[in-house]
Amino acid sequence: MQQNLQRKKGLVKSVFDAVYNKYDLMNDFMSFGVHRYWKRELIRLINPSANDTLVDVACGTGDIAKLFSDVNQNQSKILCVDFNRKMLTEGKKRLKNYKNIKWKLSNAENLYIPSNSFDFYTISFGLRNTKNINKSIREAYRVLKKGGRFFCLEFSKIQNQNLEILYKSYSRFIPAIGKIVVGESKPYEYLIKSIENFVNQEELTQILKKNKFYKPGYRNLSGGIVSIHSGWKI
Ligand SMILES: C[S@@+](CC[C@H](N)C(=O)[O-])C[C@H]1O[C@@H](n2cnc3c(N)ncnc32)[C@H](O)[C@@H]1O
């Protein structure tokens, strides 16, 4: 189902084409700003040093790159990758003062980046959108240096039944909120479906293991609304 959803040619690209200029605003509306906390938690777990390099895939407008960069006063070298030109352009505009951040138009499944080149690979709310998760994870493994670490922040499966009921009721309103804030409801119908159809925490852990990541594990945030998965390349 997950893969069927994305096989529709160009669907994901057109979703982000429709929302790119109000993407950040809508994130705040939908999550009541909690996505900022989730992203800060991701960076807190990574705990980067000044010399660490990062490739942030499905970077959107560069939230993760900015947070990673700010930890060490913009000394880290960062490459932001996205396959949507409009999202990249928004990111570049927004982070134009960050000279340590470079931008690349590429697909998560085929990055066109040399092997063994980064200390960290992050993908935040992006893996779910890729057509072939295994391929994206193999690419992540390839571009990481030995000793490098993979991190994925993604919507996941809620662990508490009451919270799940509450969340599902709220989700039904998201397309309507999208219509008001962005002027489009379709991208947000896609969003809800893609979250429902995505793998759970244990399944994603197994996918990481199958693709050679060492000690794959995860941490739930907000009761499992999202989780942060990680694994080492050794
Ligand atoms: C929900 S946004 C997340 C943006 C950002 N990482 C964040 O956390 O705010 C998803 C992004 O993934 C990008 N994306 C989706 N599929 C992709 C793929 N196969 N390769 C590269 N980028 C992709 C979209 O263009 C979009 O910018």
Side-chain angles (χ1 to χ4, degrees), residues 12 16 23 27 39 58-60 63-64 82-84 87 106-109 124-126 129-130:
V12 177
F16 291 101
Y23 172 76
N27 268 354
K39 288 168 181 169
C59 63
D63 277 7
I64 302 303
D82 202 287
F83 75 171
N84 185 302
M87 293 293 274
S106 221
N107 194 314
E109 292 160 31
S124 156
F125 302 114
N129 296 304
T130 68

Side-chain angles (χ1 to χ4, degrees), residues 85-205:
R85 195 181 293 278
K86 290 182 177 172
M87 293 293 274
L88 275 184
T89 307
E90 281 295 302
K92 271 187 209 171
K93 233 193 305 179
R94 189 175 153 228
L95 302 183
K96 61 176 184 302
N97 294 331
Y98 288 73
K99 305 296 176 212
N100 56 322
I101 301 180
K102 306 278 177 252
W103 304 82
K104 185 176 171 71
L105 185 71
S106 221
N107 194 314
E109 292 160 31
N110 209 339
L111 290 166
Y112 294 100
I113 291 172
S115 302
N116 307 309
S117 25
F118 289 93
D119 298 301
F120 290 102
Y121 172 109
T122 51
I123 184 160
S124 156
F125 302 114
L127 190 61
R128 176 177 40 89
N129 296 304
T130 68
K131 199 165 156 187
N132 186 329
I133 295 171
N134 278 290
K135 208 170 168 193
S136 303
I137 290 177
R138 278 200 297 277
E139 232 353 40
Y141 190 89
R142 185 185 68 73
V143 301
L144 276 169
K145 289 179 188 169
K146 279 201 170 147
R149 205 163 174 200
F150 168 93
F151 282 92
C152 169
L153 170 63
E154 189 51 271
F155 287 107
S156 207
K157 302 298 170 200
I158 298 172
Q159 304 298 298
N160 174 294
Q161 215 180 356
N162 292 332
L163 180 61
E164 192 184 6
I165 293 168
L166 200 71
Y167 180 79
K168 278 203 168 142
S169 315
Y170 167 64
S171 299
R172 284 204 289 273
F173 294 103
I174 289 181
I177 302 175
K179 183 79 185 161
I180 295 164
V181 179
V182 181
E184 298 267 358
S185 59
K186 281 265 177 308
Y188 296 98
E189 285 166 18
Y190 161 79
L191 174 79
I192 305 302
K193 281 207 191 89
S194 70
I195 294 171
E196 279 170 8
N197 296 325
F198 193 55
V199 292
N200 67 29
Q201 287 87 329
E202 292 304 328
E203 287 165 336
L204 185 50
T205 304

